[in-house]
Amino acid sequence: ENGMEALAENEDEKLREQLAEENQLSFETLLEEEETSQLEVPEEPAQTVYTEEQLKDYEFLISHLYNVDSSTKTNPMQLNSEKLLSYDFHVDKETDGPQILIYHTHSQEAFADSIEGDESTTIVGMGSYLTSLLQQQGYQVLHHKEVFDMVDGELDRNKAYTRAEPVISQLLAENPSIQIVIDLHRDGVGENVHLVKEIDGKPTAQVMFFNGLSYSAKNGSINYLPNPYIENNLALTMQMKLASDSMTPGFARKVYLKSLRFNLHLHPGAMLIEAGAQTNTVEEMRNAMEVLARVLGDVLY
């Protein structure tokens, strides 16, 4: 009898795992849409300085600093600015080995005037330029260019995050000196939306810091997508957003919160950055990398 109960429990566990896997696959078939903000109209210009009272006001944060997608929910405890701003993301430039990792789950993302076959005009090229800018600041940067969104020569983003996870995990295990992990993307917006801001007299693509909360508005916590570093990730993006608004108002869009985890569970210093969109030019994107490097330098200094 005990043996039969154990067998039944084992079968139940297998069924639960199968259902979780099926749910994960169904989520992954929508990942490109899931990661897209689908912005229809430009956001209002951001403030340059926020008071302590404003940052403690949850409703103010939600209306001024964050876009909460309908797929997820957050709360005042999770967006506790006092706690999130207490995190220290200082990177010691004297650390031996790479300190910052840049990679691209969606390496094939391109821009309005990208040249087919010219990597420098794609999101990977932007990663290369950002790498060089951060290196000029004294950081040791590892730019990983492996492709995760192509299968047998065809674009396939359905399991890009699943394919990237073991590779990035191994890179982090091999390079414990890495303190910041950036998955650099390009957003997808309506064709009538142009995410550009004039900064230092140059047309500059706007960026968006992006968090996955492993939480479904419909079903609650997504237990098969655990992320022990959600608070760390949220702290980093809040600090990036506030630094950007202080240094270059209007450069950073509102921080976007969605339901999945987007491999942000791989490191406490991990963040996903949506730089520009398909309607931006390569020139606007390169200008954005210059501003982004400055903001990163401010937060990581």
Side-chain angles (χ1 to χ4, degrees):
E1 184 177 343
N2 289 339
M4 292 182 66
E5 289 178 355
L7 181 61
E9 289 177 0
N10 186 47
E11 290 300 317
D12 284 344
E13 180 62 27
K14 287 182 178 180
L15 179 59
R16 284 194 293 270
E17 291 177 356
Q18 180 182 347
L19 289 173
E21 178 67 14
E22 289 173 354
N23 286 336
Q24 171 69 4
L25 290 175
S26 67
F27 271 131
E28 286 180 337
T29 60
L30 299 174
L31 272 181
E32 185 175 4
E33 177 183 355
E34 177 68 19
E35 181 201 297
T36 298
S37 66
Q38 298 180 343
L39 181 70
E40 295 301 329
V41 294
E43 296 172 3
E44 292 297 317
Q47 288 183 219
T48 57
V49 178
Y50 302 93
T51 67
E52 184 177 344
E53 289 72 23
Q54 287 174 328
L55 294 177
K56 287 182 178 179
D57 184 342
Y58 175 71
E59 295 302 326
F60 180 88
L61 291 179
I62 291 299
S63 61
H64 289 79
L65 267 69
Y66 290 91
N67 269 324
V68 183
D69 189 78
S70 60
S71 66
T72 195
K73 289 182 179 180
T74 185
N75 57 68
M77 291 184 62
Q78 189 169 60
L79 297 184
N80 181 322
S81 63
E82 185 175 5
K83 183 182 294 184
L84 298 181
L85 295 178
S86 70
Y87 278 80
D88 182 5
F89 292 102
H90 168 73
V91 171
D92 183 2
K93 296 179 181 178
E94 302 303 316
T95 302
D96 187 29
Q99 300 140 8
I100 300 173
L101 169 64
I102 298 174
Y103 73 102
H104 312 272
T105 301
H106 293 162
S107 65
Q108 303 305 300
E109 291 173 331
F111 306 100
D113 57 349
S114 293
I115 301 171
E116 187 173 355
D118 183 352
E119 179 185 271
S120 70
T121 66
T122 69
I123 193 63
V124 176
M126 299 307 119
S128 296
Y129 189 39
L130 180 60
T131 295
S132 67
L133 293 168
L134 291 172
Q135 288 172 337
Q136 290 171 28
Q137 294 184 28
Y139 296 103
Q140 297 183 54
V141 185
L142 172 60
H143 184 203
H144 189 73
K145 298 183 180 182
E146 185 166 345
V147 174
F148 304 111
D149 55 349
M150 295 282 286
V151 176
D152 297 328
E154 299 291 332
L155 183 66
D156 184 352
R157 291 180 177 152
N158 289 347
K159 292 188 179 181
Y161 285 92
T162 300
R163 287 189 286 269
E165 181 178 5
V167 176
I168 303 306
S169 295
Q170 183 176 348
L171 280 175
L172 293 172
E174 294 172 349
N175 298 278
S177 57
I178 291 173
Q179 299 159 63
I180 297 294
V181 178
I182 299 171
D183 186 6
L184 186 63
H185 289 250
R186 175 225 73 191
D187 199 4
V189 298
E191 290 300 323
N192 63 323
V193 177
H194 191 197
L195 303 173
V196 67
K197 176 80 174 178
E198 185 171 310
I199 299 175
D200 299 331
K202 299 187 291 187
T204 304
Q206 295 171 294
V207 302
M208 181 175 72
F209 307 114
F210 188 104
N211 287 97
L213 301 182
S214 295
Y215 189 91
S216 164
K218 182 178 180 180
N219 299 312
S221 295
I222 306 177
N223 295 323
Y224 58 89
L225 296 177
N227 179 1
Y229 302 128
I230 288 177
E231 187 169 280
N232 307 69
N233 302 151
L234 286 169
L236 182 53
T237 54
M238 175 181 275
Q239 292 185 30
M240 289 290 293
K241 168 63 173 166
L242 293 179
S244 177
D245 287 354
S246 175
M247 298 169 64
T248 53
F251 174 61
R253 300 154 62 195
K254 293 179 181 179
V255 179
Y256 212 90
L257 307 181
K258 279 207 168 185
S259 58
L260 306 185
R261 69 180 180 184
F262 305 98
N263 284 339
L264 295 173
H265 67 295
L266 297 179
H267 197 281
M271 63 177 154
L272 192 157
I273 302 177
E274 299 276 7
Q278 83 280 8
T279 54
N280 285 105
T281 67
V282 171
E283 177 191 8
E284 292 165 353
M285 290 301 304
R286 286 180 63 84
N287 293 339
M289 294 302 102
E290 295 171 4
V291 180
L292 179 59
R294 295 203 299 267
V295 176
L296 282 164
D298 184 76
V299 173
L300 307 182
Y301 178 74

